[in-house]
Amino acid sequence: MSERVRRVAALVHREMARLIASELTDPRVALATVTAVKLSRDLRVATVYVRGGESDGGGGVVDALRGADKFLRREMARRLNLRVTPELRFHLDRTPERGARLARLIEDAVG
């Protein structure tokens, strides 16, 4: 990954976190956290990984963000000085669950 892609991903990550925290009123995103942003090499697609709203498995927060996609993209275009505002794709970050499962498997195998 190039340095430019990393810098723009960090910029999108920071701005996306701000927008979700301050601009969205949907209660499903009240506790949402942006955990990572991965950009395509041409900077046209941003895959945004989020956590929050775990009571429903996290699907509600992703659905809410997908519903606010146009608003979020428009606000990012207005706030960031990018030639092309990336298309936003939201996914639930399941890394903690995978880590806990792997730890349990290792513990069962060892113990």
Side-chain angles (χ1 to χ4, degrees), residues 26-107:
D26 191 320
R28 295 176 293 177
V29 299
L31 300 174
T33 302
V34 177
T35 58
V37 173
K38 293 186 180 176
L39 278 175
S40 60
R41 291 183 352 166
D42 63 2
L43 305 177
R44 293 186 182 276
V45 178
T47 304
V48 181
Y49 293 91
V50 294
R51 300 234 358 118
E54 305 307 320
S55 62
D56 66 351
V61 69
V62 172
D63 290 342
L65 291 172
R66 286 178 181 159
D69 173 76
K70 288 184 175 78
F71 169 77
L72 292 169
R73 191 168 185 213
R74 183 176 58 244
E75 284 299 306
M76 290 212 12
R78 195 173 65 81
R79 295 174 183 212
L80 301 178
N81 188 21
L82 299 175
R83 192 171 349 143
V84 176
T85 304
E87 172 190 336
L88 301 173
R89 295 183 183 166
F90 296 98
H91 295 281
L92 189 61
D93 183 1
R94 298 201 183 274
T95 304
E97 290 89 354
R98 288 185 189 136
R101 181 175 176 271
L102 184 57
R104 280 192 310 275
L105 288 172
I106 291 170
E107 187 176 302

